[in-house]
Amino acid sequence: MLNTKTGKRQITEFQTPPLAPKQNYFRCVHLLASCTLSSGLLVKCSMPRQTPTLSLLLLDREPFSQHSRQIMFCRSLVMSGLQGVGLLLLWGSACLLLPGLARGALVISGGHEALQETREAAKSLQRRSTKEASVEVHSVMVDCTVTSRFAHTVTTSKALNKANFSQEIFFEVELPKTAFIVNFSMEIDSEVYVGEVKEKEKAKKQYEQAVSSGRTAGLVKASGRKMEKFSVSVNIAAESNVTFILTYEELLQRKLGQYEILTRLKPQKPVHEFQIVANIYEPQGLSFVDAHATFLSNELLPLVEKTVTDNKAHISFSPTMEEQRKCPDCDGTLIDGDFVITYDVKRAKSLGDIQIVNGYFVHFFAPPDLPRVPKNVVFVIDRSGSMSGLKMKQTREALLAILKDLDEEDHFALVQFDDRTEPWRESLTKATKENVAEGMAYVRKIAANGGTDINHAVLRGVKMLVKDRQENKLPERSVDMIVLMTDGMPNSGVSHLPTIEKNVHSAIGGNMSMFCLGFGNDVDYSFLDGMSKQNKGIARRIFEGSDAAVQLQGFYQEVASPLLSEVDLRYPDNTVDSLTTNHYTQLYNGSEIVVAGRLMDNDLDNFVVEVFGQGFEEDFKVQGQARALDWDVMYPNEEYIFGDFTERLWAYLTIQQLLEQSKTGSPEDKANATAKALHMSLQYSFVTTLTSMVVTKPETEDGADSRLVADKLTEAQRQQAERMLHRYVPPSFATPASSTYLVDGDPHFLIELHDRHDALCFNIDDKPGTIFNLVKDPTQGILVNGQTIGDKKIAPDGKINTYFGRFGIVHQVLGVKLQVSTKDISVLQDGTWVKLLWSDTASVKGPNMDFFLTKDRSLTVSLKDSVKFVILLHKVWAKHPYHQDYLGFYTLDTHLLSSSVHGLLGQFYHGIEYEVSDLRPGEVTEKPDATMYVKGQELNVTRGWQRDFRRDVKNGENVPCWFVHSNGTGLIDGEAADYVVSGLFKRV
């Protein structure tokens, strides 16, 4: 036993016992001190003034090479004369590194130097935290007014520089990519700086000047699939404030029977005044209104206020600072994600709804109760080598769901291609149950290989439709369409893009629609977009991710049910002019046709509207008289501030259509469309792809101001930005993400499959005290079992919750044995249990096992040349009437285990093959159901999410997954009962 003298520096040497050949002893000196390795052989420990007695403990004996070094965690065994307890708790326990030599030395010094270092570190932290807190975001407010589908959104944020020096303050807003920015302003100490919309070429010169002078000039960047990010920063003087205001507008599009208002919120910390307000005015009447958010917890949900009358809805969400916090004493905020409002309107009239305000009209046409028109669809499927792996699987999954959803009156064909074209059958097939089943079997066999000959494949599909039409094999009143699914550029056969476009347009001859679905970032979206628009269709990007199959199905559902074809909406020539597009090839179920125009006079007696179209059994024809709507009568006592909405809606729609026209047609037509779109964009101050908003920032200390430019991104520009992002090569020391397997919560099993960008999940429900085998690798001698615990008592709702409360880990070959509970961690060494508490912090490195214990949070166990386990401690308020502490179990580096590994989790460590199709509405709107094909079985699964708590033990991070019901039946081998064992270290 070693003793130290208070406050004096000394060197204590000790002699180890004689060593057996190739053996050494691990020794730990138990110190309440802060120790660091000061050289290859010495550990320097800074001791407090009142030092404890030191103990030398023989812990373990292991074979090792002569020069290896080991660190063993030690807890204090004997303490005496303990004063200044606060400092001792801060420093915790110390470790001693003993090299593989016969002699060692321990340097022990007084605590003055360490205490001074601690004080300096505290001062540094205090300075840093003061600086971070010196910018206070006072308010974030989002105010959205929707008038007859036209949304006008104003985002306002006010920030204060509380420091005694100037600072850069940032403002970021994410807005829908379909929206046009119309205004931006900054108010700094009562002086207002307003953005100005200019022609893009003129703004570009100012942009280039700003870039050449070293200033950041671009304000808008792509953000995900649906959004764009507007960001700006400005230097604010000490104790000054700034108010940012961004305004944008968009015409809400009806998809699958509803309109969507999407607001993305990322305030990063609680805000004094936080508010979202939406007012929806729909004279047709509201059929439903719903509001939800990705971040809404049970506590935040009641704060969403919704008031709905016949033709108006008011939605608001304004949590206090305390309600925004992740926890009472932290700066993190729960507000992080999408706030989404969905609604639809009543549709009682076949003519639709016509609204006239201030000399402009808008006509919304989506008649109810129309029978669907049969469709004849040829799926042209890219199976080239670049489609291999996940893309091909997701394409198969989507096709299986699409085929299953075909109506028996539909006809379909399948054409797969690489550098060769291979149709399933030589003509289209009626979608009977038998034919669909045969088609699905064919789809399951599609495999990726070869080059990409888009030209030949599409022409083959067109030829099949033309031939079947000529031979009267298809219903006379039906709709023909080509659906091309591809991920790349043509590199076989005809590869010149203009030639392919010309060939396809000539072959189709205006007799069918073509829809192009482009996978990922390598596809030439501009090529697909142009080819679709030339042939009465649309293109859609399919983003790489776990939900690519869902994206495919979602797009197909939008066009799967045509109701009318060749729709003409006619208005008196002598009454209106400047009409937007009033002829549409198709009207699909769940969508809406919108036509707007300018009135030539206010005489509405002759304003007769007619609509013609081809229906399933007969032609559609309806006629009616348009009348102006008295908004004061419809909405009395309202301060109506959006009186020009019909004019701005007309301008928005006109510009959108002119921009589309500028991509097709003759050079003269393109130039005329571009010129008109530019003129109107400037007239109405819309930031479009032809204009930019120039923002002049106030002068900086060097006397120079800077001009920033906000552009509207094209889809091609968004794609290019994503290419740059996805092709970033990480540093060489970074390791690729591997799949993660975990069980946490009540208890939820989650298999995150990173190679598929997807996840599977299931629950196991059993009585408390049941012990399950989680991992069993007989080849490596690894075993992990977990025992469930229940709540303290049954809750009033009668539900019995179970969690994992103990884990047993064994590695027979390495001689490792651990028992982890919510109270402590026990390690068995040479027949003796050594106990650690969760209140400790420890880093242990041994020849066969490393582990790192983070106080009251996590334990990481790394087995030599094998798997890594992470166990999380979930602490619950000690006085909670029902719940108690529980554990979560995570496994990493599972590829290092043998192929014989099994168990409730272990059976998934080397992957699992499955396909998901037939996406359909579930019991909960946000959680659709689907069919999963796995292990030769067909399972009903639900799209939901489970939480991964590794980064945030309190709240976790949502992981979307396919949930398998009934204790994972069909997904796991056998039944859950097959994994029950009789003891924590027993085998099945």
Side-chain angles (χ1 to χ4, degrees), residues 817-836:
K817 196 170 188 178
L818 286 88
Q819 179 175 301
V820 184
S821 72
T822 58
K823 303 297 182 184
D824 52 43
I825 301 104
S826 298
V827 183
L828 184 65
Q829 298 286 348
D830 288 344
T832 302
W833 287 99
V834 178
K835 186 176 290 186
L836 308 174

Side-chain angles (χ1 to χ4, degrees), residues 670-740:
K670 291 180 181 180
N672 288 336
T674 299
K676 291 178 182 178
L678 173 60
H679 174 75
M680 291 188 66
S681 298
L682 294 171
Q683 180 182 354
Y684 289 93
S685 294
F686 283 138
V687 177
T688 69
T689 54
L690 302 176
T691 56
S692 300
M693 177 169 286
V694 178
V695 180
T696 302
K697 293 170 63 174
E699 291 184 358
T700 56
E701 294 178 356
D702 60 6
D705 62 8
S706 60
R707 293 179 174 86
L708 307 180
V709 178
D711 286 329
K712 183 71 180 173
L713 302 179
T714 65
E715 196 63 35
Q717 288 171 327
R718 294 173 64 88
Q719 183 184 21
Q720 182 62 30
E722 288 161 14
R723 284 175 180 166
M724 298 294 291
L725 176 65
H726 288 291
R727 288 178 180 175
Y728 165 71
V729 178
S732 58
F733 55 80
T735 57
S738 59
S739 295
T740 306

Side-chain angles (χ1 to χ4, degrees), residues 756-792:
R756 291 188 60 150
H757 304 284
D758 205 357
L760 307 177
C761 51
F762 59 94
N763 294 347
I764 296 293
D765 296 318
D766 209 316
K767 61 184 179 181
T770 305
I771 303 175
F772 292 97
N773 172 242
L774 303 179
V775 183
K776 179 181 61 176
D777 188 342
T779 302
Q780 295 193 13
I782 293 176
L783 177 75
V784 180
N785 293 335
Q787 184 175 28
T788 59
I789 58 174
D791 284 338
K792 298 174 184 176

Side-chain angles (χ1 to χ4, degrees), residues 824-859:
D824 52 43
I825 301 104
S826 298
V827 183
L828 184 65
Q829 298 286 348
D830 288 344
T832 302
W833 287 99
V834 178
K835 186 176 290 186
L836 308 174
L837 299 178
W838 279 103
S839 56
D840 294 320
T841 293
S843 178
V844 178
K845 189 174 184 64
N848 299 321
M849 175 188 69
D850 301 339
F851 70 89
F852 182 80
L853 175 63
T854 301
K855 178 180 178 181
D856 289 335
R857 180 183 175 95
S858 65
L859 170 69

Side-chain angles (χ1 to χ4, degrees), residues 431 800 806:
I800 301 176
R806 285 204 307 159

